[in-house]
Amino acid sequence: MPLTLREVMLGVRRSPLLSALSVVTIAFSLFAFGLFGLLVLNVDRALRGVEEHVEIVAFLADGTLPEAVSTAMADISSFPEVAQVQEVSPEQALARARAELPEFQDVFDASFLPPSIEVRLKEGHRDPRTVKEVTQRIQTYPFVDDVRYGEDWVKKLYDIRNIAGAAGIALGSLFAAVAVIIIGTTIRMTVLAREREISIMRLVGATDAFVRRPFLLDGFLKGIIGGLLALLLTWGASSVISHSLIQTTFFDPGVAALGVIGGGIIGLLGSALSVGRHLRRV
Amino acid sequence: MIRFSHVVKEYPRTGLALQDVTFRVNKGEFAFLTGPSGAGKSTILRLVIVEETPTAGEVRVGGSLTSGLPRAEIPRLRRKIGVVFQDFRLLEDRTAEQNVAFALEVTGAPRDAISARVSRLLTQVGLASKGTSYPKELSGGEQQRVAIARALVNDPVLLVADEPTGNLDDRATRGVFQLLRDINAAGTAVLMATHNLELVKRNEYRVIEVNRGQLVFDSAEGNGAGVVTTPSPA
């Protein structure tokens, strides 16, 4: 077994409780972070779902020739911001109204509803400015009577997304910082518990790198194990919420793996900082 | 081997620990470092093993000037110096063999060479049969022998011993001291700090005495008051 790994195992065997405590502390710090991440993910997803409904409806003038509508649709489809263009005839509009609004159940004449073109925008192009710009372009067609896109609604949605994004970054950074501090302190306890050993290592001519190596590996492994535990806890919490409250989305495997590796890196950094500070003193 | 030139050491909190100390210990020499508690013996030893650097003056060990020595060079210098302490400083959760081997492992020595060297050293210090014992299963004298074996593992040119017999009874003291003499006879310079004046008197080695941070006697120079007149209890 390589010497560094043997030293790590020896450290764990010598103080199993402290090692377990380190792993649990790391796990809970990352669990708190994971829960927050889950909240951000689901709020983001919910907002995205709402945002998908952002659409521009262009009402067409009576008697617009079908060729003109087709040309306009092809034209609008080629806008870089546009994802989908759909023509809605008065009959389709009435069928939809009947399905969505009970007061339309008794209406049988579709002629009072104008034909329209519904335009959906691509993700990343649903901000108020772009929506307004596309709307203005559509308005230039002579057979377009009116264009609606729910200006206030789009603006509010955009504001909510911005606030949620900023809060996510701020709180996420705070959670990450707290996790780093807690993990760093825990690892520092491990370093202090082995202070005598470090002084003996240095006395017999161990280089700083040699002294540091087992601690770095120790921190990394504890971070990975803590990260896996945190992932398990977060998954458990997500399942419980999904079963008892609302359906939640869990991290995709790539993000989950990144979280576990992140735990390892935090453990490694925490160790590097603690040992570095300690070595400078001795 | 060791050269102190007008060395001053001052600590921010406790003040002056050494003032204008000048002496040298030659290759292969045996020297006692004596003086009352707080006289500056440990400070001198810490300066030799580069745990400290002087506030003023120069300390040279094995030809290297310790002040300004790059941090990466310190371990290399320490491998040339064996260190033995009063409290042995053994790793309690490792056997005698593992304690000795550890000092070789940190230097990156090949593993197959380590075990042969460790058993040879344990035989040299008279502990061939105790290699698998843990420190708490050994007597004080035996623990100090393990510490000496560890100090010798890298073939040091200098052995620094800080009160190596301070925690030992007379019989163990005699055994450990004889071991140090043998090591010196084999060519390793020994600087031994001690309170044991009987031991100092009984042996004709050089005596360097410090008091209140100053060198007050050096038998090689023949100056000052002399060790016998400034006893202090161990």
Side-chain angles (χ1 to χ4, degrees):
Chain A
M1 193 189 292
L3 183 63
T4 306
L5 192 60
R6 210 180 69 206
E7 288 297 315
V8 171
M9 302 303 287
L10 208 69
V12 172
R13 219 172 52 202
R14 190 181 307 127
S15 43
L17 204 67
L18 187 60
S19 297
L21 190 72
S22 307
V23 170
V24 169
T25 308
I26 292 171
F28 275 98
S29 305
L30 293 176
F31 175 48
F33 189 60
L35 279 183
F36 178 73
L38 209 60
L39 181 73
V40 169
L41 176 76
N42 281 278
V43 167
D44 186 62
R45 189 167 265 261
L47 286 174
R48 245 175 239 265
V50 175
E51 208 183 66
E52 273 172 18
H53 291 99
V54 170
E55 64 178 13
I56 300 166
V57 182
F59 294 102
L60 309 176
D62 278 344
T64 305
L65 293 171
E67 295 79 27
V69 176
S70 304
T71 313
M73 281 176 67
D75 197 18
I76 294 167
S77 296
S78 67
F79 291 180
E81 303 90 345
V82 171
Q84 195 194 355
V85 183
Q86 194 190 355
E87 188 187 358
V88 181
S89 66
E91 291 73 24
Q92 284 169 321
L94 180 62
R96 207 188 277 173
R98 276 186 188 151
E100 290 172 6
L101 304 163
E103 53 267 41
F104 275 80
Q105 292 298 333
D106 303 331
V107 180
F108 293 99
D109 185 10
S111 64
F112 72 97
L113 289 171
S116 62
I117 297 174
E118 286 178 357
V119 180
R120 291 206 170 192
L121 299 176
K122 285 178 187 164
E123 205 181 324
H125 294 288
R126 292 164 187 158
D127 57 289
R129 225 183 84 198
T130 312
V131 177
K132 197 170 184 176
E133 258 175 39
V134 175
T135 302
Q136 282 167 350
R137 259 182 272 160
I138 294 172
Q139 246 164 354
T140 58
Y141 293 100
F143 48 81
V144 170
D145 256 357
D146 191 14
V147 185
R148 302 226 174 128
Y149 66 92
E151 188 173 2
D152 286 352
W153 182 74
V154 169
K155 198 172 172 316
K156 267 182 197 152
L157 182 68
Y158 189 70
D159 287 347
I160 290 171
R161 279 216 67 177
N162 277 348
I163 291 167
I169 291 170
L171 284 173
S173 310
L174 195 72
F175 267 102
V178 169
V180 169
I181 292 168
I182 291 174
I183 292 167
T185 309
T186 313
I187 289 168
R188 185 143 178 75
M189 279 161 61
T190 317
V191 174
L192 288 175
R194 297 178 67 182
E195 196 168 20
R196 179 179 160 86
E197 194 178 335
I198 293 176
S199 76
I200 293 172
M201 277 180 169
R202 292 179 58 83
L203 204 67
V204 295
T207 58
D208 285 353
F210 184 91
V211 175
R212 206 178 270 131
R213 232 177 287 146
F215 287 103
L216 296 187
L217 184 64
D218 186 54
F220 181 71
L221 291 178
K222 281 175 180 163
I224 293 280
I225 298 169
L228 283 170
L229 268 177
L231 186 64
L232 200 71
L233 288 170
T234 314
W235 179 79
S238 168
S239 300
V240 168
I241 294 168
S242 285
H243 280 109
S244 56
L245 292 168
I246 49 163
Q247 187 61 40
T248 57
T249 306
F250 195 64
F251 305 113
D252 61 52
V255 174
L258 211 67
V260 174
I261 293 169
I265 290 171
I266 292 177
L268 190 80
L269 286 178
S271 280
L273 288 174
S274 299
V275 184
R277 214 163 66 176
H278 190 76
L279 284 177
R280 275 194 296 279
R281 280 200 299 121
V282 292
Chain B
M1 185 50 51
I2 302 173
R3 203 162 84 191
F4 274 53
S5 307
H6 306 287
V7 171
V8 175
K9 181 66 193 175
E10 192 173 2
Y11 293 105
R13 275 191 296 174
T14 49
L16 214 54
L18 291 179
Q19 5 178 352
D20 196 27
V21 172
T22 298
F23 72 91
R24 61 190 293 171
V25 175
N26 295 319
K27 207 172 163 186
E29 194 176 5
F30 193 119
F32 286 117
L33 183 61
T34 66
S37 297
K41 301 190 295 295
S42 293
T43 303
I44 288 175
L45 297 187
R46 276 204 295 273
L47 286 164
V48 171
I49 60 175
V50 209
E51 272 192 349
E52 306 275 1
T53 49
T55 310
E58 273 185 15
V59 174
R60 281 181 185 273
V61 180
S64 304
L65 187 66
T66 63
S67 304
L69 192 67
R71 198 174 161 86
E73 287 301 314
I74 297 174
R76 275 176 252 291
L77 180 61
R78 285 193 181 138
R79 290 173 199 173
K80 293 190 214 166
I81 311 167
V83 193
V84 177
F85 291 95
Q86 180 174 358
D87 60 357
F88 323 129
R89 298 203 191 171
L90 298 175
L91 295 165
E92 297 296 323
D93 56 355
R94 293 173 209 228
T95 63
E97 277 171 355
Q98 287 167 342
N99 265 285
V100 180
F102 185 63
L104 267 179
E105 284 168 343
V106 305
T107 66
R111 202 176 298 173
D112 46 351
I114 293 177
S115 101
R117 175 128 185 86
V118 169
S119 59
R120 193 155 57 79
L121 276 163
L122 285 176
T123 307
Q124 189 184 335
V125 298
L127 289 177
S129 60
K130 304 266 177 140
T132 54
S133 302
Y134 286 90
K136 63 179 172 211
E137 296 165 349
L138 300 171
S139 69
E142 287 170 335
Q143 288 187 54
Q144 193 59 291
R145 283 165 184 269
V146 176
I148 291 171
R150 182 181 65 190
L152 294 178
V153 85
N154 287 313
D155 278 327
V157 287
L158 169 68
L159 185 75
V160 174
D162 191 3
E163 304 280 357
T165 58
N167 281 353
L168 308 181
D169 59 26
D170 283 350
R171 193 159 165 268
T173 295
R174 279 197 300 277
V176 164
F177 186 68
Q178 185 55 48
L179 197 55
L180 294 177
R181 288 174 63 131
D182 294 344
I183 291 162
N184 177 243
T188 305
V190 178
L191 179 62
M192 174 178 164
T194 185
H195 274 120
N196 190 334
L197 295 181
E198 282 306 310
L199 195 73
V200 174
K201 273 195 280 184
R202 258 190 277 124
N203 295 281
E204 294 293 310
Y205 290 124
R206 178 182 171 193
V207 178
I208 299 166
E209 186 184 347
V210 281
N211 198 358
R212 292 181 184 169
Q214 287 178 308
L215 197 148
V216 293
F217 176 76
D218 185 346
S219 61
E221 306 287 332
N223 60 339
V227 65
V228 184
T229 59
T230 55
S232 97

